Amino acid sequence: MSPILEVKDLETSYGHVNVLAGVSFSVEQGETYAMVGESGSGKTTVIRAIAGLAPAQAGSVKFDGQEIRGMSEKNLRPLRKDIAMMFQDPTGSLSPRLTIRNLITEPYKIQGMKDRDLDAEAKRLLELVNLPSHFANRYPYQLSGGQARRVGVARALALEPKLILADEPTAGPDVSVQGELLNLLNDLRERLGLSMVIITHNLNVVRHVSDRMGILYLGRLVEEGTTEAIFEAPRHPYTNCLLSANPEPDPDARLERIALKGEPPSLIKRPSGCEFRDRCPVASDICTQVPSLEVTDGHAVRCLTPLHL
Amino acid sequence: MTEKLLEIDDLSVDYETARGDLKALRNITFDVNKSEIVGIVGESGCGKSTLISAILRLIAPNTRFRSGEVRFKGEDLLTASERKIRDLRGDDISIVFQDPMQTHNPVISIGQQMVDIQHRSKANKAEKRATAAKMLGAVGIPDPEARLSQFPHEFSGGMRQRIAIAMALMSEPDLLIADEPTTALDATLEVQIIERLKDLQRDFGCAILFISHHLGVIAELCDRVVVMYAGAVVESGTVREIFHHPKHPYTRRLIECDPGHIKERARVLPTIPGEVPDLANLPTGCIFRDRCDQAFERCAEVPPLTRLSDGQNAACWLNHAEEPA
C-alpha cells in the first residue's frame, strides 16, 4: 500500500533563513508519526508547509499519491477536508464569538455542504470527543483548557479527514488532561483508522501515541525510526540528550543526565560540518565533515559517530 | 535548627463576582523555612496564582481576604502598610514569572533594565552595570559585558528566563517565588533552568517557592511539596513522602497520571475522571469527593489537614480509619 503522506526533500526559507533544509518522511495509512524537536527546530513549519499554510520552495508533498506542494488555494480547498489541522493553542484557535455548535460545524459551511443537518452533526461530533451535547450552545470562554482541546479535536474530525496534523496536542498544562487527550486520539485512531502527524517536544507523550518518530534539528531530520527502537537505543547523541533531559516524577531517580551544552545555533549562521557538533558530548575531529542520513535496519541517523550501532 | 521564613496560616481568599463569592483559597496553611525549596503542585484552577498574588499583595480589586495571615519573618503582610510591602517586593521577596517572552520591556536594553531595578542601591552607574554583568554571568549568559547593550528580542527564550532569574536574584532576596518558570520552555532548557536554580539557591541561600504542574521538575528540585486542589491544600510533606507514600487520593492519582511515570508504552493512560468543582458554588464535604474512587460516608464532612508524621500532612478521612467516627 502506498503511504497516505509522502514528504520528500521539503525546503522552506523565510528570506535568507533556511528553516527546513530538506525534510523527508512518510506516513502509512493508520499510522501515527511523531515529529520531535526543540523550539526553532522547524517542526511546526513542517506541518504548516504540508497543509499549505507555510511556503515550501522545494521538494515534494504527496498526499494519497497526489502532489500538493505549490497547489493553488482553489485546488487545495477540496483536499482540506481530508487533511485536518489541530492547532497548538486550544482556546486561541477558537473564535470567541462563535458557539461551540458553530465552531465545529463551520467546516461543513466552508466546504459548501449545505445539505447537512448541522445540529445532528454537532451532536455526533461532541459525542465523539466525549462532551455532553448541551455544550453546543456554549462559548469558548465557558470551557476549560481540556474541553477546548476536545472541541479542537471535534472540529478537526468534522469532515472525516484521512490525515490529522496536530501541533503540540498536549501542550495544555495539566497532566490528567494530557492523558485524557492521548486516550481520545488513540481511540479515534483505532475507530476511524486515522493517520496522524503529531508535533511535540514532550517525549513522555511520544512514547504512548506514536508508531514511528523523527527527530528534527535545525530543519533536518537527524534520526528516524520506530518509537520503540529510538527509546530503546537512540543512535544520535542529540536524541540521547533529549531522552535524558526528561525530569522524572521520582525524587530518588538519580538520572544519568547527559548535559546538552548551550542553545540551538542560529539558522542564519548554520555551523559547518555536523551542525550538532558544538553541543555534542561525543563530538570528535571527524565531525567537521557533513554527515548524511544513513539507514540501518529501518533506523536512520545523521551522525558520523552514532551510538548503539 | 530551621527558621521559618514564610508562614501561610489559615489563609482564605474570595473573589467577589456577579455569580457570588468565588472561594479561590480556603484555609491554606503551610510554611517555607529559610533556604528551603518548597514546591506547589496543582492543576489549573487550584489557586496557585491567587496564592502568589496574596503573598505579594498584588491583588485584583474584587479580592477579599476572609481569614488568615501571611507572615514573612514573623510579620503579617496582609495588614502591613503599603509602604512596607513595597519595600519588601523585589528586595526581600522577588518573583520570576511564567512567560519569559513577556517579562522584559522590549524597547529597553537588558543592561539598562538591570541597572534600573537597582534603584534602591547607592552605587554609581558603572558599579550597577558591573553588578548586572556579574549576575548575567552567574546565570550562564556568555560574554555578559557585551550582551548588556542588547535588547530582549536578541536573546532566546531560555536565555530570557535566565535573565529574569538573574534580575530576581540581584537584590539577594530571602524568598524567590518562581511561578511555572519552565513551562514555556523545552525539556532541555527546563533542565538547564532547574540546575541553575539549584546552584543559585546554594550560592545565595535564598528560599524558593516553586510553583509548577510538572511533577518531574518538582521531584527533582524541591525539599518539600504542597499539593493543592480546587483552592485547598490536600497534602503537604517532604518530597520523598509525597512521591513515594502519597496519603491523599488526589496526590496518588496525579502521580499515576503523569505520562513520565509510565515507562511501558501504554495505549490507555490513567486519567482523573470528572471536572474541578465550581468554586462559586462549592460542593459540601471533601472537595475531591466527586472524583475520588475511595470516597465513603464520612467524606460528606470536610476533612481537616492533619499531621500524619513529622514529614507529612494530609486532608483525607482515609487516614483516620482507626479512629472512632
Side-chain angles (χ1 to χ4, degrees), chain B residues 272-301:
Chain B
I272 307 176
E275 298 281 337
V276 180
D278 180 2
L279 296 182
N281 193 2
L282 277 186
T284 55
C286 169
I287 188 77
F288 188 58
R289 177 160 65 135
D290 291 343
R291 301 175 79 184
C292 183
D293 53 5
Q294 289 169 287
F296 60 117
E297 305 87 63
R298 202 162 173 196
C299 304
E301 234 179 290

Side-chain angles (χ1 to χ4, degrees), chain A:
Chain A
M1 206 161 72
S2 64
I4 183 102
L5 178 73
E6 202 172 2
V7 177
K8 237 178 155 169
D9 303 320
L10 190 66
E11 286 187 33
T12 293
S13 302
Y14 295 110
H16 319 293
V17 187
N18 195 207
V19 181
L20 297 181
V23 174
S24 305
F25 70 102
S26 62
V27 182
E28 300 293 325
Q29 185 79 47
E31 187 182 46
T32 301
Y33 187 97
M35 187 72 85
V36 179
E38 292 176 279
S39 311
S41 60
K43 52 192 192 303
T44 299
T45 307
V46 170
I47 56 167
R48 294 187 73 95
I50 293 169
L53 300 174
Q57 284 86 359
S60 142
V61 178
K62 279 194 178 141
F63 174 70
D64 229 354
Q66 189 183 0
E67 177 62 49
I68 60 169
R69 185 185 73 84
M71 223 184 218
S72 70
E73 184 57 37
K74 186 166 156 260
N75 292 334
L76 201 54
R77 182 162 283 184
L79 283 173
R80 287 246 162 87
K81 71 178 196 304
D82 292 329
I83 306 174
M85 185 94 181
M86 272 171 62
F87 294 96
Q88 179 165 4
D89 178 357
T91 323
S93 64
L94 304 176
S95 167
R97 302 186 58 168
L98 295 182
T99 60
I100 303 309
R101 175 188 173 282
N102 284 332
L103 280 166
I104 60 181
T105 56
E106 202 182 15
Y108 298 108
K109 293 176 198 159
I110 292 170
Q111 291 289 341
M113 299 166 151
K114 295 199 179 80
D115 50 337
R116 294 286 182 122
D117 177 351
L118 295 185
D119 285 322
E121 293 295 345
K123 193 163 173 271
R124 179 182 70 88
L125 289 169
L126 286 173
E127 217 164 89
L128 203 57
V129 296
N130 306 322
L131 286 174
S133 54
H134 69 259
F135 269 54
N137 298 321
R138 292 200 179 183
Y139 285 90
Y141 76 91
Q142 293 168 306
L143 304 181
S144 70
Q147 290 164 346
R149 281 267 174 215
R150 277 183 270 174
V151 170
V153 176
R155 189 166 60 161
L157 292 172
L159 299 170
E160 289 163 26
K162 295 178 182 152
L163 176 68
I164 287 193
L165 305 172
D167 194 356
E168 296 275 9
T170 57
D174 298 334
V175 283
S176 63
V177 176
Q178 271 182 26
E180 215 172 273
L181 209 104
L182 294 179
N183 290 345
L184 178 65
L185 288 178
N186 275 334
D187 178 50
L188 291 171
R189 181 178 98 137
E190 264 157 45
R191 273 170 29 206
L192 310 175
L194 294 173
S195 313
M196 277 192 267
V197 179
I198 288 182
I199 302 300
T200 184
H201 70 257
N202 188 339
L203 285 162
N204 289 335
V205 163
V206 167
R207 189 187 331 223
H208 301 298
V209 288
S210 70
D211 304 301
R212 285 192 306 129
M213 64 192 280
I215 314 287
L216 208 57
Y217 189 71
L218 295 185
R220 281 195 181 101
L221 279 176
V222 294
E223 182 160 5
E224 188 189 49
T226 63
T227 305
E228 216 178 326
I230 290 180
F231 272 85
E232 189 75 19
R235 290 185 186 170
H236 200 286
Y238 177 60
T239 314
N240 206 30
C241 290
L242 286 182
L243 288 172
S244 78
N246 228 349
E248 297 215 11
D250 178 351
D252 291 327
R254 275 327 313 152
L255 303 170
E256 280 183 49
R257 186 160 283 154
I258 306 140
L260 194 53
K261 286 179 272 178
E263 313 239 344
S266 161
L267 287 167
I268 303 166
K269 270 197 298 187
R270 283 178 175 272
S272 65
C274 170
E275 297 184 329
F276 183 60
R277 86 186 141 116
D278 293 341
R279 303 174 76 193
C280 184
V282 294
S284 63
D285 294 343
I286 188 178
C287 301
T288 50
Q289 297 170 35
V290 179
S292 57
L293 198 65
E294 302 286 344
V295 186
T296 325
D297 310 323
H299 188 156
V301 63
R302 189 190 298 276
C303 179
L304 294 167
T305 56
L307 315 163
H308 302 112
L309 243 184

Side-chain angles (χ1 to χ4, degrees), chain B residues 247-295:
Chain B
K247 289 287 190 318
H248 195 286
Y250 176 67
T251 315
R252 205 175 302 140
R253 297 299 291 274
L254 200 62
I255 295 171
E256 281 169 11
C257 278
D258 191 336
H261 187 73
I262 304 152
K263 284 275 157 301
E264 297 302 309
R265 178 193 173 94
R267 274 295 172 195
V268 181
L269 295 168
T271 58
I272 307 176
E275 298 281 337
V276 180
D278 180 2
L279 296 182
N281 193 2
L282 277 186
T284 55
C286 169
I287 188 77
F288 188 58
R289 177 160 65 135
D290 291 343
R291 301 175 79 184
C292 183
D293 53 5
Q294 289 169 287

